[in-house]
Amino acid sequence: MKAVIQHEFGDASVLSYTEVDTPAIGENEVLIKAAYTSVNYADIKKRVGNKGKGKFPLMLGLDVAGVVEKVRPDSTFSVGDRVIAFPKSGSYAEYVVAKESLVFKIPEQLHFEQAAAMPTVSILSYILLHEIGQVKQTDTIVVHSAGGGVGSMLIQLAKLAGVYKIIGTVGSLDKASYVKQLGADVVFTYENFAEEVLKETNGAGANVIFDSVAGEVTDRSLDCLAFYGTLVQFGNSSGKVGHIKTSDVHSSCRNIKGFSLGTTRERDPERLKPVADKVIELFASNKVSLPIAKVFPLKDAAQAHRLIQSRKYQGKVLLKM
């Protein structure tokens, strides 16, 4: 089968389109003929070596949409099932293997292109909003990196839930109109959001802030987080560490919560199925959607990575097998 692999860490040029063996399935696993996979910022971090040591040859990719090609005799899936999944060893390939606990059936009306855009960002966003942040309708929330995949999804889900005020932050106001179309009430840049959030809330601050950027953005988030508010930290796309002092938390009765979808896929996969069922229904009924920025053929994975790193896109970037 055709696949994209790498033999060392580095820039996008280390990605190699080549022929590899089709993987075999083990117990409680299925083989999926991939239609599309999404490109996530986590792929960039893993490619350059920012997510720990790599076992080479290394294949990137978190999620996939496709059709079940092969199953074990006792499988709960059948050949021909349309699914989304979190493969066990990357998704930049024509065929991938996934554990059955991380495979979810999708209805006929959900196109593979839209299905491939959703697994990581929609399941993560639903958990962040409803389980970790426990956002209420009366809340004012801040969504950092609002123009990215998770940000786009968080804003739509918050709007659907009737959240009182949704504030998005972006690196450049060029993305402001896009973020507002998704449902944000106001949009600010990282440089001035803390002051603007305080103005929007008459000095009270935001009830919940979703932070995937870290670094100085985390520091400034604490400057505009309300008493009894919650900072949800789920990434560090800036590549820098955010600093939190104990005095930022106890005297103001604020919460700092962390969440990782990767950790949950590994340690508590059963937690994901009920959420997957909910977001699949939302997408299938067109209550939410994800704009597709661009679709690249698998052989052009390096170009897709360069686009992601440029940040000059809106929505999701996909690879087509």
Side-chain angles (χ1 to χ4, degrees):
M1 68 174 185
K2 293 295 186 181
V4 172
I5 60 173
Q6 63 185 89
H7 294 277
E8 61 181 323
F9 293 128
D11 62 23
S13 66
V14 302
L15 299 177
S16 174
Y17 180 65
T18 187
E19 194 86 24
V20 299
D21 293 335
T22 301
I25 59 172
E27 189 174 352
N28 300 317
E29 294 179 345
V30 300
L31 180 69
I32 299 168
K33 180 177 173 54
Y36 295 86
T37 183
S38 67
V39 182
N40 294 282
Y41 199 80
D43 298 348
I44 310 298
K45 294 173 67 177
K46 191 169 184 179
R47 189 200 74 218
V48 300
N50 287 353
K51 292 180 77 69
K53 295 180 180 179
K55 183 179 179 181
F56 298 110
L58 175 67
M59 184 190 297
L60 303 174
L62 298 177
D63 49 29
V64 72
V67 176
V68 173
E69 179 82 5
K70 187 180 293 186
V71 299
R72 304 279 285 192
D74 56 349
S75 177
T76 57
F77 292 90
S78 301
V79 172
D81 283 345
R82 302 173 81 253
V83 296
I84 55 173
F86 297 109
K88 60 185 286 189
S89 301
S91 61
Y92 288 18
E94 292 179 318
Y95 293 90
V96 297
V97 169
K99 295 180 181 178
E100 290 188 354
S101 59
L102 294 173
V103 181
F104 314 103
K105 295 179 185 179
I106 60 173
E108 288 292 333
Q109 67 266 34
L110 183 55
H111 190 275
F112 280 135
E113 188 174 288
Q114 188 65 199
M118 61 168 287
T120 296
V121 296
S122 64
I123 293 173
L124 172 58
S125 296
Y126 194 96
I127 292 174
L128 292 174
L129 190 79
H130 295 290
E131 298 181 18
I132 310 302
Q134 298 180 336
V135 172
K136 303 185 294 293
Q137 284 189 333
T138 54
D139 284 344
T140 291
I141 70 170
V142 174
V143 178
H144 290 313
S145 193
V150 178
S152 298
M153 202 70 252
L154 273 170
I155 288 172
Q156 288 185 76
L157 290 174
K159 190 72 173 179
L160 192 64
V163 173
Y164 169 69
K165 183 171 285 188
I166 305 167
I167 300 172
T169 70
V170 291
S172 167
L173 287 178
D174 292 345
K175 295 184 179 181
S177 61
Y178 166 75
V179 173
K180 287 180 180 179
Q181 287 172 10
L182 294 171
D185 297 297
V186 287
V187 181
F188 304 116
T189 65
Y190 299 133
E191 284 71 28
N192 68 345
F193 78 86
E195 298 85 352
E196 296 296 340
V197 168
L198 290 173
K199 289 179 186 176
E200 288 286 332
T201 57
N202 295 317
N207 304 104
V208 186
I209 298 178
F210 296 96
D211 175 21
S212 63
V213 183
E216 294 180 3
V217 169
T218 298
D219 301 346
R220 292 200 294 270
S221 293
L222 291 167
D223 294 336
C224 63
L225 182 64
F227 275 61
Y228 301 94
T230 299
L231 174 64
V232 179
Q233 216 295 319
F234 64 101
N236 67 327
S237 63
S238 68
K240 300 175 181 178
V241 176
H243 297 94
I244 297 168
K245 302 187 293 290
T246 54
S247 56
D248 289 330
V249 180
H250 76 272
S251 61
S252 59
C253 303
R254 297 186 292 189
N255 302 293
I256 312 295
K257 292 185 177 181
F259 185 78
S260 164
L261 186 62
T263 300
T264 305
R265 288 197 307 268
E266 180 181 343
R267 294 180 173 270
D268 192 12
E270 290 76 16
R271 181 175 182 174
L272 303 182
K273 188 179 188 313
V275 178
D277 290 342
K278 289 174 183 175
V279 296
I280 288 169
E281 193 280 326
L282 290 176
F283 274 86
S285 59
N286 294 315
K287 291 179 180 176
V288 297
S289 64
L290 277 165
I292 306 300
K294 191 164 184 178
V295 179
F296 292 87
L298 179 62
K299 65 182 179 64
D300 292 335
Q303 291 184 37
H305 275 228
R306 293 185 185 105
L307 177 59
I308 293 284
Q309 287 185 276
S310 76
R311 299 189 183 275
K312 295 178 180 178
Y313 68 98
Q314 297 172 347
K316 290 293 292 179
V317 175
L318 304 181
L319 298 177
K320 183 178 181 180
M321 306 311 162

